[in-house]
Structure formats: C-alpha cells, structure tokens
Amino acid sequence: MKINLSGFHVLITGASSGLGFEMAKALLQAGAAVGAAARPTKRLEAACEKLSAYGEVFPVPMDVRDEASVRQAAEKVREKFGHLDMLVNNAGVGNNVGAGMNEKGETPQIFDIPTEAFTNIVETNFTGYFLVTKYFVPMMAEAGKGRLVYVSTSDGTMKMKGQIPYGPARAAAEAMAFILAQELPRYGLTVNVICPGGATDTGMCTEEMREFFKKSGRTMLPPSVMNDTILFLASPEAEKVNGEKIVAKEFEAWCREKGFRA
Ligand SMILES: NC(=O)c1ccc[n+]([C@@H]2O[C@H](COP(=O)([O-])OP(=O)(O)OC[C@H]3O[C@@H](n4cnc5c(N)ncnc54)[C@H](OP(=O)(O)O)[C@@H]3O)[C@@H](O)[C@H]2O)c1
C-alpha cells in the first residue's frame, strides 16, 4: 500500500519484536514518525537501531504492567511529539512465557496453572492495554483527533482449549476496544481491532510450535501480515472507520466488502 504519512505521529507498544516491529517499519517507510515502545532492555535499543534505517524513530521504554512506567512514557511522547495521531496497543505475551505453564509438555489443566503466570499474562495483555490507553488518550483527545488500534487474536483462539489465560485476556482487551469505540468518538477518536488471522511467526512462537507446523505441512503467517492493514488505518481513507475488527490475512476481502480500495 502506497501512502504518504509524513507528519503523522505513531506510538506502537511491543515494537521490539514480531508484529510490532514490522508495523513500525512499514509506518516509518511510509514517512510516519514512530515512538517504539517495549520494556527497557537492549532488545528495544537494537530494534530502534534497525528501525532508524527506515525513518524517524525513537525508543519509548515502558513496561505496560507498571502504571508509573506507562505514565512516564506518555509524558515522554507528549514532549517529543506534541500530539499523537495513532496509538497501537500491541504488546503481549503468550502462554509460553509463564513459568510452569507447560512443564508437563502438554496443555496445563486449570488446577495446574500457576497463579503468578496467569496474573502476569492478564496484566500484560489486558491491564496493559488499559493503562496504555488511559495515559495516551488524553493527548489525542486534547487535539480532538486520533486513531486507536488494538492488536488482538482470532475469535477462535479466545475460547480454544489450552488458551487460558491468553485467550480470555485477549477477549477482554477486545471487548474494551469495542466499548471505547462507542465512548471515544465524542473526543474525535476512533478505535479499531486488528488481528493476523492465524499463528504468526514471531517471538511468541516456540520451536515446538514451528516444528509442529512444519510436520503437519502448515505454514505460519509472516510477521509482516499486519502491514497493509495498519497503513490503511493510518490513511486519510480510514478517518471515519470505527468499531471494526479486521483480520489482516483477509484485509483485501474486508476492503471489498466495505467498499474501500485495498
Ligand atoms: N504471533 C501470533 O501468532 C499472534 C496471533 C494473534 C495475535 N497476536 C498478538 O500480537 C501481538 C504482538 O505479539 P507478537 O506475536 O509480535 O509477539 P512478540 O514477537 O513476542 O512481541 C511481543 C512484544 O510485546 C512486548 N512486551 C511483552 N511484554 C511487555 C511488557 N510487560 N511491557 C512492554 N512490552 C512488552 C515485547 O517487548 P519486550 O519483551 O522487548 O519488552 C515485544 O516487543 C500480541 O498482542 C499478541 O497477542 C500474535
């Protein structure tokens, strides 16, 4: 998709890896200025160094589970950008990050799920979206315009066996997006949800998953799968698009159905 986003300011969480990194790259290539957020580690620095080859990017260290960290990040972005045109809530962790989640090499039963792992995933994937929205929306609302994008998962994953708590946490975040899509237009803001449309080869995938896909002759989606969708949502054409869930793998079909040019 060819668009010119010069002067367009974006903050993407989870930009140090996977889908977030690729969306940041695509937005930079289109001319947007990007604040790339992730936890304050060398991984964020390395990602920003790579992304700087494509345009104006700056690192925004932030742990989405930590309210003070999110508030400071929002202040930093306000100082740097003045205004924010798009907020992409994308940071997340999969069930595999939780210590003890797959020690037996199989789907953990409800009584085996360590509470600490459950809480960490919910705090990142649900509370994290809440905190980031809470602290970044005011600067958009003050300007009377802005676009929020919530990265989510496929509807099936939310209720799939073995997906506690990842699936329910993503379902909760998505429900919040649809509530905000009704509440935030009064401030000139839109809220949309996007998801890849299947397992995607990112930092969230384990070697076992890759091996399983290979053995069963299936292919994972590439992490660039979201790029056309995020560029569209940043484009003037999408100014009034609100309350939609777009499955990136089916973006062209969605455009045809809604009467947009893909
Ligand atoms: N991969 C898939 O199959 C798939 C499918 C559907 C939806 N998704 C969604 O896609 C989104 C991106 O995931 P991905 O697949 O691209 O995985 P990924 O490559 O592991 O990227 C996850 C990103 O989230 C960041 N992150 C994790 N915990 C964080 C925290 N506490 N604070 C700030 N940043 C944090 C990571 O940065 P640091 O670790 O450097 O902080 C990283 O940049 C997630 O919301 C996920 O639910 C993925």
Side-chain angles (χ1 to χ4, degrees), residues 95-117:
N95 271 358
N96 55 310
V97 298
M101 285 295 282
N102 54 7
E103 268 166 8
K104 294 181 180 168
E106 59 188 37
T107 300
Q109 297 301 301
I110 191 76
F111 38 79
D112 288 331
I113 295 175
T115 304
E116 200 181 327

Short mmCIF file of all heavy atoms in Angstrom, two decimals, residues 95-117:
data_model
loop_
_atom_site.label_atom_id
_atom_site.label_comp_id
_atom_site.label_asym_id
_atom_site.label_seq_id
_atom_site.Cartn_x
_atom_site.Cartn_y
_atom_site.Cartn_z
N ASN A 95 1.08 -17.74 26.27
CA ASN A 95 1.03 -18.64 27.42
C ASN A 95 2.40 -19.25 27.73
O ASN A 95 2.68 -19.60 28.87
CB ASN A 95 0.05 -19.78 27.15
CG ASN A 95 -1.36 -19.41 27.58
OD1 ASN A 95 -1.59 -18.32 28.11
ND2 ASN A 95 -2.30 -20.30 27.35
N ASN A 96 3.26 -19.32 26.71
CA ASN A 96 4.56 -19.97 26.90
C ASN A 96 5.50 -19.21 27.83
O ASN A 96 6.47 -19.77 28.32
CB ASN A 96 5.24 -20.19 25.55
CG ASN A 96 5.37 -18.91 24.75
OD1 ASN A 96 4.40 -18.18 24.58
ND2 ASN A 96 6.56 -18.61 24.29
N VAL A 97 5.22 -17.90 28.10
CA VAL A 97 6.14 -17.14 28.97
C VAL A 97 5.96 -17.50 30.44
O VAL A 97 6.83 -17.25 31.24
CB VAL A 97 5.98 -15.60 28.86
CG1 VAL A 97 6.29 -15.09 27.49
CG2 VAL A 97 4.62 -15.15 29.35
N GLY A 98 4.83 -18.07 30.78
CA GLY A 98 4.55 -18.31 32.19
C GLY A 98 5.33 -19.48 32.74
O GLY A 98 5.22 -20.60 32.23
N ALA A 99 6.13 -19.22 33.79
CA ALA A 99 6.88 -20.32 34.40
C ALA A 99 5.88 -21.37 34.87
O ALA A 99 4.89 -21.05 35.52
CB ALA A 99 7.68 -19.79 35.58
N GLY A 100 6.12 -22.61 34.50
CA GLY A 100 5.25 -23.70 34.96
C GLY A 100 4.05 -23.92 34.08
O GLY A 100 3.22 -24.80 34.34
N MET A 101 3.90 -23.16 33.00
CA MET A 101 2.72 -23.30 32.15
C MET A 101 2.74 -24.57 31.31
O MET A 101 1.70 -25.11 30.96
CB MET A 101 2.56 -22.09 31.22
CG MET A 101 2.08 -20.84 31.92
SD MET A 101 0.41 -21.00 32.56
CE MET A 101 -0.57 -20.80 31.08
N ASN A 102 3.93 -25.00 30.91
CA ASN A 102 3.94 -26.23 30.10
C ASN A 102 5.03 -27.20 30.55
O ASN A 102 5.65 -27.85 29.74
CB ASN A 102 4.04 -25.92 28.60
CG ASN A 102 5.23 -25.05 28.30
OD1 ASN A 102 6.03 -24.79 29.19
ND2 ASN A 102 5.37 -24.61 27.07
N GLU A 103 5.21 -27.25 31.86
CA GLU A 103 6.25 -28.12 32.38
C GLU A 103 6.03 -29.58 32.03
O GLU A 103 6.96 -30.34 31.85
CB GLU A 103 6.33 -27.99 33.91
CG GLU A 103 7.35 -26.93 34.30
CD GLU A 103 7.25 -26.51 35.74
OE1 GLU A 103 6.49 -27.14 36.49
OE2 GLU A 103 7.93 -25.53 36.09
N LYS A 104 4.75 -29.96 31.91
CA LYS A 104 4.46 -31.36 31.61
C LYS A 104 4.45 -31.61 30.11
O LYS A 104 4.15 -32.70 29.67
CB LYS A 104 3.10 -31.74 32.20
CG LYS A 104 3.09 -31.71 33.72
CD LYS A 104 1.73 -32.11 34.24
CE LYS A 104 1.71 -32.07 35.77
NZ LYS A 104 0.36 -32.18 36.29
N GLY A 105 4.76 -30.55 29.34
CA GLY A 105 4.80 -30.70 27.89
C GLY A 105 3.41 -30.88 27.29
O GLY A 105 3.25 -31.39 26.19
N GLU A 106 2.40 -30.50 28.02
CA GLU A 106 1.04 -30.60 27.50
C GLU A 106 0.21 -29.43 28.04
O GLU A 106 0.66 -28.70 28.91
CB GLU A 106 0.39 -31.92 27.90
CG GLU A 106 0.33 -32.07 29.40
CD GLU A 106 -0.14 -33.47 29.84
OE1 GLU A 106 0.23 -34.45 29.18
OE2 GLU A 106 -0.85 -33.54 30.84
N THR A 107 -1.00 -29.28 27.50
CA THR A 107 -1.88 -28.21 27.94
C THR A 107 -2.08 -28.29 29.46
O THR A 107 -2.51 -29.33 29.96
CB THR A 107 -3.26 -28.37 27.27
OG1 THR A 107 -3.06 -28.31 25.88
CG2 THR A 107 -4.21 -27.28 27.71
N PRO A 108 -1.77 -27.21 30.21
CA PRO A 108 -1.97 -27.32 31.66
C PRO A 108 -3.47 -27.34 32.00
O PRO A 108 -4.25 -26.63 31.38
CB PRO A 108 -1.30 -26.07 32.21
CG PRO A 108 -1.23 -25.11 31.07
CD PRO A 108 -1.27 -25.90 29.80
N GLN A 109 -3.82 -28.16 32.96
CA GLN A 109 -5.21 -28.17 33.44
C GLN A 109 -5.39 -26.97 34.36
O GLN A 109 -4.42 -26.44 34.90
CB GLN A 109 -5.50 -29.48 34.19
CG GLN A 109 -5.38 -30.71 33.32
CD GLN A 109 -6.34 -30.66 32.12
OE1 GLN A 109 -7.54 -30.58 32.29
NE2 GLN A 109 -5.79 -30.69 30.92
N ILE A 110 -6.63 -26.56 34.57
CA ILE A 110 -6.90 -25.33 35.35
C ILE A 110 -6.21 -25.38 36.72
O ILE A 110 -5.66 -24.39 37.18
CB ILE A 110 -8.42 -25.07 35.47
CG1 ILE A 110 -8.71 -23.68 36.04
CG2 ILE A 110 -9.14 -26.13 36.31
CD1 ILE A 110 -8.51 -22.55 35.09
N PHE A 111 -6.20 -26.57 37.35
CA PHE A 111 -5.59 -26.66 38.69
C PHE A 111 -4.06 -26.66 38.64
O PHE A 111 -3.41 -26.58 39.66
CB PHE A 111 -6.11 -27.90 39.44
CG PHE A 111 -6.30 -29.11 38.56
CD1 PHE A 111 -5.22 -29.90 38.18
CD2 PHE A 111 -7.57 -29.44 38.12
CE1 PHE A 111 -5.40 -31.00 37.37
CE2 PHE A 111 -7.75 -30.54 37.29
CZ PHE A 111 -6.68 -31.33 36.92
N ASP A 112 -3.49 -26.76 37.43
CA ASP A 112 -2.02 -26.74 37.30
C ASP A 112 -1.49 -25.35 36.92
O ASP A 112 -0.28 -25.14 36.91
CB ASP A 112 -1.57 -27.70 36.20
CG ASP A 112 -1.70 -29.16 36.61
OD1 ASP A 112 -1.59 -29.41 37.83
OD2 ASP A 112 -1.92 -30.01 35.74
N ILE A 113 -2.39 -24.45 36.55
CA ILE A 113 -1.91 -23.14 36.07
C ILE A 113 -1.39 -22.32 37.25
O ILE A 113 -2.14 -22.03 38.19
CB ILE A 113 -3.05 -22.36 35.35
CG1 ILE A 113 -3.46 -23.10 34.08
CG2 ILE A 113 -2.60 -20.93 35.02
CD1 ILE A 113 -4.65 -22.49 33.35
N PRO A 114 -0.09 -21.97 37.22
CA PRO A 114 0.43 -21.16 38.33
C PRO A 114 -0.23 -19.78 38.33
O PRO A 114 -0.29 -19.12 37.30
CB PRO A 114 1.93 -21.05 38.02
CG PRO A 114 2.21 -22.08 36.97
CD PRO A 114 0.94 -22.28 36.22
N THR A 115 -0.71 -19.36 39.49
CA THR A 115 -1.42 -18.08 39.59
C THR A 115 -0.54 -16.92 39.14
O THR A 115 -1.00 -15.97 38.50
CB THR A 115 -1.92 -17.87 41.04
OG1 THR A 115 -2.71 -19.02 41.38
CG2 THR A 115 -2.77 -16.63 41.18
N GLU A 116 0.76 -17.04 39.45
CA GLU A 116 1.69 -15.96 39.07
C GLU A 116 1.77 -15.81 37.55
O GLU A 116 1.77 -14.71 37.00
CB GLU A 116 3.07 -16.28 39.64
CG GLU A 116 3.95 -15.08 39.74
CD GLU A 116 5.32 -15.46 40.29
OE1 GLU A 116 5.38 -16.40 41.12
OE2 GLU A 116 6.29 -14.84 39.87
N ALA A 117 1.80 -16.95 36.87
CA ALA A 117 1.86 -16.91 35.39
C ALA A 117 0.56 -16.34 34.83
O ALA A 117 0.56 -15.51 33.92
CB ALA A 117 2.10 -18.33 34.85
#
